[in-house]
Amino acid sequence: MLKREIGHSGIFVNAIGLGCMGLSEFYGPAVETRDGVALLHAAIDAGVNHFDTAQLYGMGANERLLGEAFHDRRDKVVIATKFGPVRDRQTGAFLDVDGSEANMRAAIEESLQFLKTDHVDLYYLHRVDLKTPIEETVGAMAKLVDEGKVRALGLSEASADTLRRANKVHPIAALQSEYSIFSRDIEDGSLKAVDEIGASLVAYSPLGRGLLTGSYTPDHTPQKGDFRSAATQPRFETEAFRANLELVDEVKAVAAAHNAKPAQIALAWVLGRGDNVLTIPGTTKLANLESNLAGADIGLTTSERDRLNALADRVKGARYPESRSSNINA
Ligand code: ATR
């Protein structure tokens, strides 16, 4: 398995980790704890050692699941979690992004408790708080490193400028942003800053939230609890969705040439961007997880990359709706 360091943190992980969000929220009903734990254990056996969660996912349920799975095998896993967004605990409504030290302190203590561990390997600010200077937030996060509660720091969906400013306060080991054949908007901005400061990019939604796997049909309707619908995911609005699925035919054609799955090609494309790129595709199914891992072994030719590079500009619909975009590339 291809190994990569997270920034200059000294933490090495397999280039393909597991994005755990979908196990608890947003992509349909949460999995049963027993099934989730079984999947996480099987993921370790398959070679995954980088697991990504957040306080946000299931409002603690996802961290609790990881705690259940990993408390007795902590040395086998690198755990990344995140703080910042604040939700109404009753309704789940998103209220704010809070990068204050007070919120961070409350969040890390809860995360450590839920994760059943005394340290988090990689701690992210999940979204940039536009009211709190990034220097202040990262200064507070750096104290957690000094205290041994956190090993390395990251930002998510931060702009190039925010990254550079943050990195002056404490080394930023990783930027986590959406990055895929369909989402290349960071290439002209924050990805350049990632390279410049010696950080890693942790690419989330590398499969375009499932679009790039080739497993959707034009008449697909999301199940209950799946937020991939017109209101929250413009690319899944019926007309955009159908147009985007047509683009996937190009990915399928490249996959056929490699006798591979489209998802594997999507992951090979992301990892081929540079040695400092890691990715965390999400899945609730062991068969998909095992298949995805093989994507790391595929080398794309220049003409294949060119062919795939042409697709992002043709994708219909923004990554997030207007109402949710102020903290994106912020
Ligand atoms: P995110 O990072 O937001 O989780 P992603 O990794 O781009 O998004 O895509 C995740 C989606 O792709 C999930 O809906 C997952 O569904 P399953 O839980 O059913 O697997 C889907 N997915 C992941 N790997 C897949 C594969 N190999 N084939 C088909 N669908 C896959």
Side-chain angles (χ1 to χ4, degrees):
M1 175 87 67
L2 182 65
K3 271 203 163 32
R4 288 182 174 171
E5 187 177 7
I6 304 177
H8 297 307
S9 65
I11 303 171
F12 288 81
V13 289
N14 291 327
I16 298 182
L18 181 64
C20 298
M21 179 186 83
L23 294 169
S24 300
E25 202 184 3
F26 299 120
Y27 287 174
V31 299
E32 296 291 334
T33 301
R34 198 186 48 227
D35 298 338
V37 168
L39 179 82
L40 293 169
H41 288 173
I44 297 178
D45 294 342
V48 175
N49 57 3
H50 175 199
F51 294 86
D52 185 88
T53 180
Q55 184 189 38
L56 174 81
Y57 305 156
M59 292 187 288
N62 200 240
E63 290 183 325
R64 282 182 201 267
L65 179 65
L66 268 63
E68 250 348 272
F70 298 146
H71 69 94
D72 59 352
R73 57 203 78 192
R74 182 67 183 88
D75 57 330
K76 292 193 164 45
V77 295
V78 166
I79 299 178
T81 192
K82 323 183 189 75
F83 81 100
V86 180
R87 295 173 74 176
D88 182 318
R89 299 258 168 157
Q90 305 301 319
T91 65
F94 288 86
L95 302 176
D96 194 14
V97 173
D98 185 351
S100 69
E101 177 160 4
N103 183 47
M104 179 203 75
R105 289 271 169 205
I108 188 72
E109 292 311 323
E110 191 179 82
S111 291
L112 293 173
Q113 186 199 334
F114 288 173
L115 289 164
K116 297 190 180 179
T117 183
D118 61 359
H119 72 280
V120 162
D121 298 289
L122 176 57
Y123 200 44
Y124 291 99
L125 177 65
H126 201 161
R127 289 288 183 268
V128 175
D129 173 3
L130 305 174
K131 307 175 302 302
T132 306
I134 196 66
E135 289 81 358
E136 197 178 311
T137 303
V138 173
M141 292 168 78
K143 291 185 200 170
L144 299 180
V145 178
D146 293 341
E147 293 163 19
K149 292 180 174 172
V150 162
R151 289 173 70 197
L153 302 185
L155 304 180
S156 184
E157 290 289 0
S159 68
D161 180 53
T162 301
L163 265 176
R164 290 186 186 110
R165 283 168 51 200
N167 193 61
K168 285 186 185 144
V169 179
H170 188 279
I172 299 299
L175 171 73
Q176 182 173 139
S177 283
E178 181 171 355
Y179 188 56
S180 71
I181 290 171
F182 275 4
S183 298
R184 298 176 54 206
D185 48 287
I186 62 171
E187 285 180 358
D188 291 332
S190 51
L191 197 44
K192 290 206 167 98
V194 163
D195 295 341
E196 191 184 297
I197 68 173
S200 292
L201 174 75
V202 175
Y204 79 79
S205 297
L207 307 174
R209 301 185 186 275
L211 276 172
L212 288 162
T213 66
S215 55
Y216 284 124
T217 53
D219 56 0
H220 169 81
T221 42
Q223 58 176 330
K224 198 167 181 289
D226 193 330
F227 91 139
R228 290 168 291 189
S229 60
T232 45
Q233 286 286 303
R235 290 180 180 176
F236 285 77
E237 180 275 323
T238 309
E239 217 171 293
F241 178 71
R242 290 189 181 152
N244 293 334
L245 279 192
E246 282 177 24
L247 299 179
V248 179
D249 288 345
E250 293 287 309
V251 186
K252 287 182 181 167
V254 174
H258 285 266
N259 201 13
K261 303 272 188 224
Q264 294 169 333
I265 297 301
L267 296 170
W269 182 92
V270 166
L271 294 178
R273 160 59 178 69
D275 291 343
N276 60 344
V277 179
L278 317 165
T279 189
I280 46 168
T283 181
T284 53
K285 300 183 181 74
L286 183 59
N288 286 349
L289 182 146
E290 288 176 336
S291 167
N292 292 347
L293 293 180
D297 301 326
I298 297 174
L300 298 172
T301 65
T302 305
S303 70
E304 286 169 339
R305 288 194 74 81
D306 288 346
R307 188 171 179 184
L308 299 170
N309 284 347
L311 300 180
D313 284 345
R314 296 168 56 199
V315 171
K316 296 267 184 297
R319 295 206 275 127
Y320 288 95
E322 194 64 34
S323 59
R324 295 269 306 277
S325 59
S326 62
N327 304 96
I328 300 301
N329 285 324

